[in-house]
Amino acid sequence: MNRRTFLVTALAGTGALALGVNLYSPSYVGVNKHLNSEHQLLFSLLVPVFLDGALPQTESLRVAAQNRTIDAIVATMALLPTDARDELEQLLTLLESRLGLLLLTGSMTPLLLRTPNELIEMLEKWRSSYLDMMVTAYQGLRELVVASYYACPEHWGRLNYEKPILFS
């Protein structure tokens, strides 16, 4: 076997393996299709990371705030211009596929199986990346999560903000 044949065979084998892993979806990873269709499961992982320190300390209040924020994110995404929504959908779809994760993060480990510290490390790499695309992805996700959290009036109290009274 010459060197060229070896390299082509190794490249083809690696590509086939990556494609197979990307297409393989074990049954135990299956989640609620409704949550998957609106990327709510992905945002349930990202919201606590982006809102670290802003969420309430009490577990039940924290879960309620996370769920309310995810609902606000879904509502916000529906209002985005078509181009922005399409780009965001592409990013979220890449984050939900293993091949996309490999391209974006250098690891095929699903985000569900990563610890919060690993997610923070991934997002910090994006934030300080030399590629503008990665920085834009980080900023887009962060702004979407933070803006959706503070768009909910029940979270304004943490900012010491009161709704203006029009008629007193």
Side-chain angles (χ1 to χ4, degrees):
M1 176 183 292
N2 64 21
R3 191 169 110 189
R4 180 174 292 190
T5 304
F6 174 74
L7 291 175
V8 169
T9 304
L11 183 63
T14 303
L17 183 63
L19 181 64
V21 168
N22 188 43
L23 296 177
Y24 175 69
S25 178
S27 60
Y28 64 88
V29 177
V31 295
N32 186 338
K33 295 293 183 193
H34 176 69
L35 294 178
N36 245 358
S37 67
E38 297 178 345
H39 309 288
Q40 292 182 351
L41 185 61
L42 177 63
F43 281 113
S44 70
L45 299 171
L46 296 176
V47 164
V49 173
F50 280 119
L51 296 176
D52 187 32
L55 292 171
Q57 296 298 318
T58 308
E59 182 66 24
S60 61
L61 294 176
R62 183 176 344 151
V63 170
Q66 288 177 359
N67 290 337
R68 177 80 168 103
T69 303
I70 292 170
D71 290 343
I73 289 170
V74 171
T76 302
M77 287 179 58
L79 298 175
L80 289 174
T82 306
D83 294 345
R85 186 175 46 235
D86 290 346
E87 287 181 14
L88 185 60
E89 285 287 337
Q90 286 177 342
L91 174 64
L92 298 175
T93 302
L94 283 174
L95 286 175
E96 291 175 342
S97 74
R98 288 189 171 195
L99 191 57
L101 275 175
L102 180 63
L103 293 172
L104 292 174
T105 67
S107 171
M108 293 179 78
T109 304
L111 295 181
L112 274 173
L113 300 178
R114 297 186 187 188
T115 64
N117 288 336
E118 290 172 332
L119 291 174
I120 291 170
E121 182 180 323
M122 176 192 83
L123 292 171
E124 284 297 320
K125 284 182 182 176
W126 286 16
R127 189 175 76 144
S128 61
S129 175
Y130 64 91
L131 295 173
D132 289 341
M133 179 187 74
M134 301 304 280
V135 175
T136 302
Y138 170 81
Q139 290 173 341
L141 284 176
R142 184 181 183 281
E143 288 178 15
L144 179 66
V145 170
V146 172
S148 297
Y149 177 75
Y150 285 112
C152 303
E154 62 267 21
H155 302 147
W156 294 350
R158 296 182 71 95
L159 297 172
N160 293 327
Y161 176 78
E162 291 183 24
K163 182 178 179 180
I165 299 172
L166 297 177
F167 304 104
S168 57

